[in-house]
Amino acid sequence: MSSTITPQPSFYGDYEKGEEPTDWLRKYELSLPTTTTDTDKITHFELQCTAASPAETWFASLPTVDKASWIAFRAAFRTRWPPPTQVTLTVAQKKERIKVLVLKEDEIGVMIEEDRGREWGHIRWAKQIARMAQGFNDTQHHLLDVVLDNTPEILRDLLADNYASWMDFEADVAKVSASQLQRTTYTSPPPYRYGYHYNAPMVQTPQTQAAAPPSLPAFQPPVSSLTPQVPQTPQAAHLFAPTAPMSRGNLFYGYRGYPQTPTRRGGSPADRMRTAAQYATIPHHPNSDAGKQAYAQQVQEWHALHGSEAIPNSQRPYPLKPGTSPIGSRECFNCGMATLPPHQSYDCPNEPLPAQEMKWRETVSRLVSRTLAMPTTPGSATNVQYVTSAAPTQYAMPQVPYATSAPSYPPYSYFTDPYETHHGTGNKYGPQQ
C-alpha cells in the first residue's frame, strides 16, 4: 500500500455547505496509510483545518491529554461534533413518503428514455417503490396495501393481492407486457375509459341553463268535425316516475328501478360481519386453556400442510388467536383486537400476532370492503297494462310535415354499473374484483 497521504478538503467545523464533521473524519482516516502513527495522524489533522475556522480554534485549545493517542483524539472530536442522530420514521410516515411515488396513467406501457437506456414506465415505478420499501426495512410489507390502493386500475387488475416480498412485487409488475395493458385499455367501456358517466345526473348551472334550447310544445292534432273525440281514460301513476325534481341533463335519470343513493364505502358493521363470515371456515376457539391448546394444534397443522413461509388466502385461511376479535370486524391487524376508540397496527401497543394471521386479517378486510363496495343487482321490473272499456276509434292523422330525424342519445343500461369510482392518486374508474 502506498505511504502517500491524500489531502482531503479543508475542515471548517461549522456545518456550513453540507459539511458533516463525522463523515469528514471518516474520509480523513480512510485517506491515511495503515502505517501512519497516531502522532502523524494528529499532526496532519492540524494541517487540514482551515485557518481562523472553528476547527482550528478547537484544535489549538485542545488539552495535551486528548492528543496523546488517536483514540483519545477521536473521542474528543466526537464530543465537540457529535454524530448525527438517526431519524426513525413511523409506519404512517413511511406510507406518506411512499405515496409520493405516483404512477401516472400516461406512463403505463410507455417506454421512457433514461440516461443509460430505456425502460417501461410502470416497471421503473415498481423498482422505485421496491427500493424505497427496502430502504425503510419493510420486511412485514406494511406499505404494500398503500402501494396497491394507489396503483391505477389498468395495472392493478393484472396484479395479485398479496406478495411474499418486494422482489416478488417488482417481478410481477415486470411480467405485465405492453400488449396486456393495451388490451385492458381497449376492452374497457368508452364511458369509463374517458371518465364520463351517462347515468350521472347533470347539475345545472346558470351557464347551462342559459345555453339550454327552449322546450317545444307538444304536438296537438287539429280538431275538426270529422275527427271524433277519444274519451280520456284515467291512468294510474307511472311506476317509474321520479319522486324528486329531476335535472334535464340526462333524459333517463330518475327512471331507474332501484334507489340511486350511493352506499357508504365499507358498509355497516353488521354488513361487514355477514360478509366476513364466508371466510371464517375454521373454528375460532375461546380464550381458555382448552381453546389455546386447540389453537396451537391448528397452527401446527397449518404450517405442516402449507409450510412456514406460505401466505394465507381464501383457500387456506389461517387460524385466529383465542381472545381476539372476529375477522373482518375492523380490528387492528397487529393484535387482532377491535377497540374503542379504534387504533391501527402502526401505533399498536399490544403483543403482535403471527405474521400469517396479520396478513390473513388484512386480506379479509380488503376482500370485505371490495365486496361491499360493489353495487347490488336491481330488481326485475313489473310490466303494467292499462285497460279501458272504450272501443278504439279510428281517425285520420292530418298530413302535416314533421321532422324525421330524432335526437341521438348515449346507450343506456337499466342494470347496475359494474364500475365504481376509486378515490386515490392515479385512480379513475375500473372493474371491481
Side-chain angles (χ1 to χ4, degrees), residues 9-29:
S10 299
F11 181 54
Y12 289 81
D14 54 2
Y15 294 97
E16 295 292 336
K17 297 183 180 181
E19 182 186 63
E20 174 52 52
T22 301
D23 293 339
W24 186 93
L25 184 63
R26 291 176 179 175
K27 294 178 181 179
Y28 173 73
E29 290 190 70

Side-chain angles (χ1 to χ4, degrees), residues 254-278:
Y255 290 92
R256 307 180 72 162
Y258 54 94
Q260 301 188 36
T261 303
T263 305
R264 184 177 70 87
R265 186 174 179 88
S268 64
D271 292 338
R272 293 186 64 86
M273 294 302 295
R274 284 193 295 267
T275 306
Q278 61 181 314

Side-chain angles (χ1 to χ4, degrees), residues 22 76 117 187 194 198 210 240 270 285 299 301 345 350 401 424:
T22 301
T187 54
Y194 300 110
Y198 288 138
F240 299 102
H285 296 289
V299 173
E301 294 176 354
S345 57
N350 302 324

Side-chain angles (χ1 to χ4, degrees), residues 329-365:
S329 59
R330 294 189 182 275
E331 73 277 17
C332 169
F333 301 148
N334 184 71
C335 66
M337 300 300 297
T339 59
L340 288 176
H343 68 280
Q344 296 184 359
S345 57
Y346 61 83
D347 59 355
C348 177
N350 302 324
E351 180 182 358
L353 298 171
Q356 281 88 350
E357 182 174 350
M358 295 169 60
K359 181 59 64 177
W360 174 233
R361 289 181 179 273
E362 181 180 357
T363 301
V364 172
S365 178

Side-chain angles (χ1 to χ4, degrees), residues 18-351:
E19 182 186 63
E20 174 52 52
T22 301
D23 293 339
W24 186 93
L25 184 63
R26 291 176 179 175
K27 294 178 181 179
Y28 173 73
E29 290 190 70
L30 291 174
S31 67
L32 299 175
T34 55
T35 57
T36 307
T37 63
D38 291 358
T39 302
D40 292 339
K41 291 180 181 179
I42 298 173
T43 302
H44 188 70
F45 176 87
E46 182 181 10
L47 300 176
Q48 288 278 182
C49 296
T50 304
S53 65
E56 186 181 50
T57 304
W58 170 80
F59 185 85
S61 60
L62 192 65
T64 306
V65 65
D66 292 333
K67 299 178 182 179
S69 65
W70 179 251
I71 296 177
F73 178 83
R74 187 168 51 185
F77 182 93
R78 291 179 177 178
T79 303
R80 173 61 178 84
W81 292 283
T85 304
Q86 183 178 3
V87 178
T88 303
L89 300 178
T90 63
V91 176
Q93 292 172 335
K94 294 177 182 178
K95 289 183 177 181
E96 292 299 326
R97 291 203 175 188
I98 208 168
K99 284 181 181 179
V100 178
L101 299 179
V102 179
L103 176 61
K104 300 178 181 179
E105 290 193 356
D106 55 3
E107 295 179 351
I108 301 178
V110 177
M111 188 68 70
I112 298 178
E113 298 287 343
E114 295 183 343
D115 296 338
R116 298 185 178 180
R118 298 179 300 171
E119 194 170 25
W120 296 106
H122 57 284
I123 298 180
R124 184 184 68 168
W125 167 81
K127 289 183 178 179
Q128 293 174 349
I129 289 290
R131 300 300 180 272
M132 179 175 287
Q134 291 170 354
F136 289 150
N137 194 26
D138 184 35
T139 57
Q140 299 296 327
H141 315 107
H142 294 305
L143 309 179
L144 184 59
D145 57 338
V146 176
V147 173
L148 294 178
D149 290 343
N150 291 334
T151 302
E153 290 296 329
I154 296 176
L155 178 62
R156 178 67 183 88
D157 296 336
L158 302 175
L159 302 179
D161 289 335
N162 294 296
Y163 293 98
S165 66
W166 285 104
M167 295 180 60
D168 294 343
F169 167 76
E170 182 180 345
D172 200 16
V173 175
K175 292 179 183 177
V176 179
S177 62
S179 58
Q180 287 180 291
L181 296 171
Q182 292 176 358
R183 286 195 298 268
T184 304
T185 302
Y186 289 121
T187 54
S188 301
Y192 300 96
R193 197 189 313 157
Y194 300 110
Y196 178 79
H197 277 290
Y198 288 138
N199 296 333
M202 181 182 295
V203 179
Q204 286 192 346
T205 62
Q207 290 77 8
T208 57
Q209 292 177 355
S215 59
L216 299 177
F219 169 73
Q220 298 293 340
V223 180
S224 65
S225 58
L226 299 179
T227 304
Q229 299 292 329
V230 180
Q232 300 294 328
T233 303
Q235 296 184 0
H238 201 291
L239 293 181
F240 299 102
T243 58
M246 180 181 61
S247 170
R248 294 189 298 179
N250 191 327
L251 297 180
F252 298 101
Y253 182 71
Y255 290 92
R256 307 180 72 162
Y258 54 94
Q260 301 188 36
T261 303
T263 305
R264 184 177 70 87
R265 186 174 179 88
S268 64
D271 292 338
R272 293 186 64 86
M273 294 302 295
R274 284 193 295 267
T275 306
Q278 61 181 314
Y279 302 105
T281 56
I282 56 178
H284 186 186
H285 296 289
N287 191 18
S288 60
D289 294 339
K292 294 178 181 178
Q293 294 178 359
Y295 164 74
Q297 183 66 23
Q298 283 180 324
V299 173
Q300 183 179 0
E301 294 176 354
W302 193 93
H303 287 283
L305 182 62
H306 306 294
S308 59
E309 301 297 331
I311 301 297
N313 54 38
S314 58
Q315 302 300 323
R316 50 174 184 239
Y318 196 82
L320 303 181
K321 182 179 180 180
T324 57
S325 300
I327 199 167
S329 59
R330 294 189 182 275
E331 73 277 17
C332 169
F333 301 148
N334 184 71
C335 66
M337 300 300 297
T339 59
L340 288 176
H343 68 280
Q344 296 184 359
S345 57
Y346 61 83
D347 59 355
C348 177
N350 302 324
E351 180 182 358

